[in-house]
């Protein structure tokens, strides 16, 4: 049983498109992280959410605690957004990771 | 501000050898973590620590040991290396999970056991 389900697994978009990545989880959580892993392997934390919505530049993350669902949106996508995006909810002492969404943005 | 520093970046070990992966953070984060990422796979938690003197097992702790004698340092020890431990290892740190801006990751250690 997977505690975290991400969709889609792979996504190819044209530059400028609006992108949505979804994350559903089955556990009661303290917080949920969205991570970005670039092709070179480095991992960057994009957002930490415990409720509502956060925005940083062209990135928006939302969470619905009742529905156990989070989304990551990228507006006006750019080739430099090409990366693997990972949803990572946790309960405070249990840490879960989605398998990631591989995004490729084509110029 | 260095963030999270991992050493070494690359290492090749022979089966049965031991080594320590070093991790240091300078952000005064309470929490520190060790993850491994196998080729084409997601992150798996090996061990974590919520503060100096406190460590807990994650999903895949077998074959590894950790210690947390200071807030800054969280070394990961591999005893009797096996080919199944070939992976990329990431150290990370954070404040307690309900505050702060999330994880800060080190740049990773690519380990090959032959």
């Amino acid at each position: 049983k997977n505690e975290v389900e991400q969709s889609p697994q792979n996504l190819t978009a044209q530059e400028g498109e609006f992108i949505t990545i979804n994350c559903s989880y089955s556990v009661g959580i303290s917080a949920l992280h969205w991570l970005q892993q670039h092709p070179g392997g480095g991992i960057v934390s994009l957002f930490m959410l415990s409720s509502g919505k956060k925005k940083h530049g062209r990135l928006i993350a939302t969470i619905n605690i009742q529905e156990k669902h989070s989304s990551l949106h990228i507006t006006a996508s750019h080739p430099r957004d090409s990366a693997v995006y990972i949803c990572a909810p946790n309960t405070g002492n249990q840490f879960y990771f989605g398998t990631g969404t591989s995004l490729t943005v084509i110029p | 501000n260095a963030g999270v520093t991992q050493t070494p970046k690359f290492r090749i070990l022979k089966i049965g050898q031991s080594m320590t992966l070093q991790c240091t953070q300078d952000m005064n984060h309470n929490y520190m973590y060790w993850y491994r990422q196998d080729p084409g796979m997601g992150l798996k938690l090996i061990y974590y620590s919520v503060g100096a003197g406190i460590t807990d097992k994650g999903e895949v702790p077998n074959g590894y040991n950790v210690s947390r004698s200071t807030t800054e340092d969280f070394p990961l020890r591999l005893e009797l290396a096996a080919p199944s431990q070939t992976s990329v290892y990431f150290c990370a740190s954070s404040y307690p999970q309900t505050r702060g801006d999330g994880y800060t990751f080190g740049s990773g250690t690519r380990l090959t056991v032959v």
Side-chain angles (χ1 to χ4, degrees), chain A residues 22-103:
Chain A
N22 294 299
C23 175
S24 295
Y25 53 90
S26 59
V27 295
I29 66 168
S30 300
L32 182 144
H33 298 258
W34 280 101
L35 311 175
Q36 180 191 55
Q37 185 168 28
H38 278 284
I43 302 174
V44 175
S45 185
L46 298 175
F47 295 103
M48 189 194 75
L49 295 161
S50 53
S51 64
K53 176 180 175 178
K54 286 189 176 179
K55 184 175 189 294
H56 185 253
R58 294 180 296 105
L59 302 177
I60 304 166
T62 64
I63 190 167
N64 185 317
I65 297 294
Q66 287 73 28
E67 294 185 5
K68 296 187 176 179
H69 182 268
S70 178
S71 294
L72 176 69
H73 305 285
I74 305 175
T75 62
S77 58
H78 189 276
R80 65 175 174 266
D81 297 326
S82 297
V84 175
Y85 293 84
I86 302 166
C87 168
N90 72 83
T91 66
N93 59 5
Q94 295 286 332
F95 302 90
Y96 303 97
F97 293 89
T99 53
T101 295
S102 179
L103 171 65

Side-chain angles (χ1 to χ4, degrees), chain B residues 91-111:
Chain B
C91 179
S93 69
S94 74
Y95 288 116
Q97 289 289 326
T98 53
R99 65 163 277 203
D101 293 328
Y103 299 105
T104 300
F105 280 83
S107 56
T109 296
R110 190 173 298 272
L111 175 67

